[in-house]
Amino acid sequence: MASRLISEMGLPKSIANVFAARSIKTAKDALSLTEFDLMELADMGLAEVTSALAHISERVSPPYQTALSLLEQRIQNEQLAGHLPTGLKGLDEALFGGIPFGVITELVGPAGIGKTQFCLKLSLLASLPTRHGGLDAQVIYIDVESKFSSKRLIEIGAQSFPEIFYTRGMAQEMAGRILVLRPASLAEFTESLQQIKLLLLERRVKLLVIDSMAALTSGEFEHGASKINPLGWHISFLKSVGELSRIPIVVTNQVRSQSSDDTWRYNFQVGTRHRDLEDTSKYDSQLIAALGIHWAHAVTIRLILETISGERFIKVAKSPMSPALAFPFSITSSGISLLNDDGIEVVGQEISTIHCDGHSEIIHSDTLQFHRQ
Amino acid sequence: MEVGRLPISAALKGKLVSAGYTSLSLLSSLSPSHLARDLNISENEALDILNHAPHDGRIDTSGGHHIISGAQTAWDMLHEEELLTRITTSSVDIDNILGGGISCREVTEIGGVPGIGKTQLGIQLAVNVQLPVHCGGLGGKAIYIDTEGSFMVERVLQIAEACWDDMLANNAISQNVHAGQVGMQPKDFLENILYFRVCSYTEQIALINYLDKFISEHRDVKIVVVDSITFHFRQDFEDMALRTRLLSGMALKLMKLAKKFCLAVVLLNQVTTKYAEGSFHLTLALGDSWSHACTNRIILYWNGNERYAYIDKSPSLRSASAPYAVTARGIRNNVSNCKRIKLM
């Protein structure tokens, strides 16, 4: 829309010619200038400039829809009104059906907690035929850290959906729908995104998984770093492409330890700092999500995976429509399963903190389990 | 005031200067035909220039006192302000510190960290504006401009249903039925929210320009919510000076819209960190010059385990905080033991 040509907008010839002569070719060029700038540049009066801008603005503005027609469209055209069920009953209920289409859902947690396992399960679910709750479509899995294990994928499939996977040729067909990309650098990743856009718009791919986003840019988000976020373009791109094609986008993120520079207070709150002085000792064990606050604003749903006293929890930390619930889970041969579907309500800011105590014990016991199998 | 600042084309400015009219006081006593002859332009153009020049110094010889067009006395404004109704936020505490709710004819900016409830408040206001006046609304429609894709329709329906339940409980609907009006169903609330999805800053600017015409064709719109104003201006903007100019242009247009159509404009903003006085602290995004652009500014923040709203900037309200909660029914009062309004 922004790159629409002025010449195609039906402006009076004289004005269109003047604009073209001053290299104002696209709508973006014209709208990036203030009225005074345009008057200077094009040597026209205020009234002419205002009406030209009004004309261009009307042509470039997006159309509107009532919220009701939006809802009805989704109920009619999309499965479960635009959700991909995860198979985890409590989580699906909290998310009104499952991972929502058209927005970015983030999985964040310490290493080894189960983010990749969750992604593998989701990829499988999306590839299944619709009668089994899937999207019957291809999946693109961008595997930045080479963690994708097709053996584990087949194992999850065989354990969760034995009736499909033991049918001849089905395992091959399902696994054949998952395309794995391994970009070696941010530049390659950017390249592949452009290619993916085409596939997404053709509606053959119905799930995009990026595992993990944080690995693409190693540690460039500290305070005082350059104002231009290296992932800025990618964030906008993913959001717009996800919405245009109405597919779920699942992204995993890492954690880093909180530094004393990280702050969560405004200058008018400084007076109440005394309450936190005792907590400074806790800084070293506090974890926060990587990629910074801009990324945190950009994701629509944030699911935090953490360990508390040796138990794993998945909690809905940010969601425009869900209550703040935490569900205990475990990793099994059939992927992830919830130990409790009702969820535990988490009050206040606790929902956004990431815990990591008792983590190393679990990892060791799990690896033993897998080896035994 | 200099001739260079007049809103006329560069060629005309050049002619004025070369004819010796470098300041406006020289223009104030001229007639259009005189100016036209001097500059060698048409009388219409001369009239146009003189209309733009301010007329101070010209006292009507008939002795009557002279009114500057567009001005209003403070007394008249006071009467107007008293008549203005406000839109409730569904939290009595927040309504109280706001003097009743979000006010019309003003631009209110609401900012906060991710997950604090900005979109929730935006959606609540888009639903509440449709309520009849005696329930805290304006009986109008809402325009919701979504730049981030955070508008989840299922949540809007949930909030609308809760709103309708509350109205039923307060017998508001049966009153309307008596008067012959049709009570609103939850889905009717969704029909009155006009949703725009904006994907780039160019579209954002175009839409805000276009709103003037759009709202004159949809006069029942009483609130415009932009969620968020920041998103497209935060990334890949190398020219910061351009960004500041575009943002202030947008703010002015939104203010004009609010005043012209007597509606409320609510802009949701994100946060960023800023280094000042030896430490980092949170602040709303888009920089210092943007912070001057909006009339009112409310910051939503965490205080321990509770959500609070703080009035950071307002021409008429004092700084205060009030607690609130985000529930399955939408924004509501925080029901806890230590509920208190803090005056700062």
Side-chain angles (χ1 to χ4, degrees):
Chain A
M1 278 284 201
S3 49
R4 281 185 57 179
L5 296 174
I6 301 274
S7 48
E8 294 168 5
M9 286 193 193
L11 277 172
K13 267 288 177 190
S14 52
I15 299 186
N17 290 341
V18 170
F19 277 10
R22 301 276 182 274
S23 353
I24 302 175
K25 299 215 181 70
T26 63
K28 184 172 175 175
D29 296 333
L31 291 170
S32 299
L33 296 168
T34 61
E35 272 134 358
F36 277 94
D37 290 336
L38 261 181
M39 277 167 52
E40 281 291 325
L41 200 56
D43 197 17
M44 296 192 306
L46 181 64
E48 277 184 288
V49 158
T50 324
S51 82
L53 280 180
H55 189 104
I56 298 174
S57 299
E58 188 172 349
R59 298 277 173 299
V60 172
S61 287
Y64 81 93
Q65 224 183 350
T66 63
L68 185 62
S69 80
L70 210 60
L71 182 67
E72 286 172 344
Q73 227 176 41
R74 295 199 183 157
I75 294 179
Q76 208 173 15
N77 299 342
E78 294 175 355
Q79 180 192 8
L80 276 185
H83 294 272
L84 167 64
T86 61
L88 305 170
K89 185 158 161 276
L91 187 63
D92 283 343
E93 261 176 37
L95 293 177
F96 280 63
I99 308 280
F101 291 2
V103 292
I104 299 183
T105 302
E106 180 199 23
L107 296 168
V108 59
I113 194 124
K115 306 186 290 292
T116 305
Q117 302 294 309
F118 199 98
C119 290
L120 290 176
K121 183 79 185 273
L122 282 177
S123 312
L124 203 60
L125 286 171
S127 68
L128 291 177
T130 37
R131 63 181 179 279
H132 293 280
L135 298 175
D136 201 19
Q138 296 184 325
V139 173
I140 292 188
Y141 194 108
I142 299 184
D143 180 23
V144 182
E145 294 171 311
S146 298
K147 290 215 213 119
F148 186 89
S149 156
S150 31
K151 191 164 151 200
R152 174 66 176 139
L153 183 77
I154 303 286
E155 182 191 16
I156 295 179
Q159 296 287 330
S160 323
F161 307 100
E163 67 283 2
I164 309 178
F165 271 72
Y166 290 128
T167 318
R168 263 172 74 86
M170 284 304 270
Q172 187 181 9
E173 190 179 329
M174 295 303 121
R177 288 180 177 177
I178 303 178
L179 303 163
V180 182
L181 283 168
R182 294 207 159 118
S185 65
L186 186 59
E188 268 187 50
F189 173 64
T190 313
E191 214 4 88
S192 0
L193 276 185
Q194 302 277 23
Q195 293 175 345
I196 289 170
K197 182 176 181 177
L198 230 52
L199 282 176
L200 292 178
L201 293 175
E202 285 172 15
R203 314 225 41 168
R204 288 181 351 219
V205 173
K206 294 212 182 144
L207 171 65
L208 175 62
V209 179
I210 303 178
D211 179 17
S212 70
M213 197 74 168
L216 287 168
T217 56
S218 26
E220 291 171 42
F221 295 99
E222 311 317 316
H223 292 294
S226 81
K227 280 214 167 208
I228 301 179
N229 187 333
L231 284 182
W233 175 84
H234 306 80
I235 297 175
S236 304
F237 181 88
L238 284 173
K239 282 180 101 113
S240 62
V241 111
E243 282 189 42
L244 274 177
S245 50
R246 291 291 299 162
I247 61 159
I249 298 184
V250 177
V251 175
T252 63
N253 191 7
Q254 293 165 351
V255 294
R256 60 175 178 83
S257 48
Q258 198 169 30
S259 70
S260 52
D261 280 350
D262 286 318
T263 171
W264 302 108
R265 4 186 40 89
Y266 295 90
N267 50 5
F268 63 83
Q269 282 180 292
V270 168
T272 56
R273 199 189 271 276
H274 65 271
R275 207 187 300 175
D276 272 9
L277 280 176
E278 314 114 54
D279 293 348
T280 46
S281 58
K282 288 194 194 159
Y283 272 142
D284 292 330
S285 62
Q286 290 272 27
L287 297 172
I288 61 171
L291 295 181
I293 200 161
H294 176 48
W295 169 257
H297 275 297
V299 305
T300 307
I301 308 246
R302 170 172 271 186
L303 299 172
I304 292 183
L305 289 83
E306 59 177 5
T307 39
I308 303 181
S309 320
E311 275 210 320
R312 295 182 207 236
F313 286 88
I314 179 169
K315 58 189 188 187
V316 185
K318 179 185 178 192
S319 160
M321 53 205 185
S322 317
L325 291 175
F327 302 92
F329 74 94
S330 66
I331 302 191
T332 62
S333 52
S334 57
I336 290 197
S337 58
L338 293 183
L339 299 171
N340 173 352
D341 277 321
D342 291 325
I344 303 161
E345 211 178 298
V346 178
V347 173
Q349 262 182 306
E350 194 58 25
I351 193 72
S352 308
T353 51
I354 307 179
H355 296 103
C356 191
D357 36 297
H359 192 50
S360 39
E361 289 87 47
I362 308 184
I363 305 294
H364 288 140
S365 69
D366 275 352
T367 49
L368 281 175
Q369 257 186 344
F370 284 132
H371 280 297
R372 260 183 247 137
Q373 286 172 353
Chain B
M1 195 165 112
E2 293 307 318
V3 159
R5 301 241 181 96
L6 281 178
I8 53 179
S9 70
L12 283 177
K13 278 188 213 174
K15 285 188 182 164
L16 272 174
V17 169
S18 52
Y21 296 104
T22 45
S23 82
L24 291 175
S25 48
L26 298 169
L27 284 175
S28 59
S29 46
L30 281 182
S31 72
S33 41
H34 190 144
L35 188 61
R37 257 188 326 226
D38 249 354
L39 298 183
N40 202 7
I41 54 179
S42 74
E43 262 207 47
N44 279 340
E45 284 177 316
L47 196 59
D48 194 39
I49 295 177
L50 288 173
N51 280 340
H52 284 299
H55 297 272
D56 38 23
R58 274 221 217 148
I59 299 175
D60 205 353
T61 47
S62 67
H65 94 156
H66 128 84
I67 303 218
I68 308 171
S69 68
Q72 218 184 353
T73 66
W75 185 252
D76 292 335
M77 281 177 74
L78 180 63
H79 279 290
E80 260 183 28
E81 272 171 39
E82 279 169 0
L83 292 172
L84 281 180
T85 34
R86 292 162 178 262
I87 307 173
T88 176
T89 59
S90 290
S91 154
V92 178
D93 291 336
I94 300 188
D95 282 350
N96 282 343
I97 59 170
L98 286 177
I102 301 283
S103 45
C104 288
R105 293 177 142 239
E106 288 184 347
V107 176
T108 306
E109 180 188 4
I110 302 180
V113 292
I116 193 84
K118 306 183 290 294
T119 302
Q120 303 297 309
L121 189 50
I123 295 178
Q124 186 73 62
L125 289 169
V127 166
N128 286 356
V129 73
Q130 304 173 41
L131 294 171
V133 175
H134 66 264
C135 293
L138 297 175
K141 293 194 178 176
I143 285 182
Y144 198 98
I145 300 177
D146 186 4
T147 64
E148 301 184 341
S150 36
F151 186 78
M152 308 296 278
V153 214
E154 305 90 342
R155 178 60 169 155
V156 184
L157 185 60
Q158 206 185 24
I159 291 183
E161 281 168 349
C163 205
W164 188 68
D165 279 342
D166 288 346
M167 275 173 70
L168 267 183
N170 297 338
N171 291 321
I173 290 188
S174 54
Q175 281 172 10
N176 279 343
V177 168
H178 265 305
Q181 286 174 336
V182 179
M184 290 185 82
Q185 297 287 313
K187 287 206 169 159
D188 292 338
F189 281 105
L190 268 66
E191 201 169 20
N192 291 332
I193 300 180
L194 310 179
Y195 174 80
F196 289 86
R197 175 69 171 102
V198 159
C199 297
S200 68
Y201 78 82
T202 314
E203 279 186 18
Q204 194 169 331
I205 298 175
L207 180 56
I208 291 180
N209 285 347
Y210 174 54
L211 277 183
D212 188 84
K213 181 166 178 216
F214 185 82
I215 298 182
S216 17
E217 293 162 2
H218 293 84
R219 286 275 177 168
D220 40 4
V221 168
K222 286 288 170 205
I223 188 173
V224 175
V225 180
V226 184
D227 179 12
S228 61
I229 195 93
T230 334
F231 184 68
H232 293 300
F233 286 89
R234 257 187 125 166
Q235 45 236 24
D236 49 58
F237 236 102
E238 303 93 21
D239 186 353
M240 282 302 182
L242 172 65
R243 186 179 94 157
T244 310
R245 286 202 302 276
L246 291 175
L247 284 172
S248 41
M250 251 183 3
L252 280 175
K253 291 197 186 99
L254 287 166
M255 260 189 265
K256 266 174 69 175
L257 268 180
K259 292 221 160 6
K260 179 173 173 187
F261 297 104
C262 200
L263 44 86
V265 174
V266 173
L267 308 178
L268 302 180
N269 196 0
Q270 298 175 349
V271 297
T272 182
T273 48
K274 181 170 150 177
Y275 189 76
E277 292 156 21
S279 65
F280 285 96
H281 58 252
L282 286 178
T283 182
L284 295 196
L286 296 179
D288 290 326
S289 30
W290 171 257
S291 60
H292 294 291
C294 296
T295 318
N296 301 303
R297 189 175 242 209
I298 300 175
I299 298 185
L300 305 178
Y301 67 101
W302 284 108
N303 188 355
N305 273 340
E306 295 178 332
R307 293 177 154 94
Y308 271 75
Y310 170 68
I311 299 189
D312 189 50
K313 177 184 175 193
S314 161
S316 55
L317 300 164
R318 67 198 298 193
S319 275
S321 306
Y324 69 98
V326 178
T327 68
R329 305 171 68 78
I331 302 274
R332 291 291 186 273
N333 260 357
N334 191 2
V335 205
S336 71
N337 302 337
C338 44
K339 182 178 77 171
R340 66 205 178 282
I341 298 187
K342 285 170 22 185
L343 293 173
M344 304 204 142

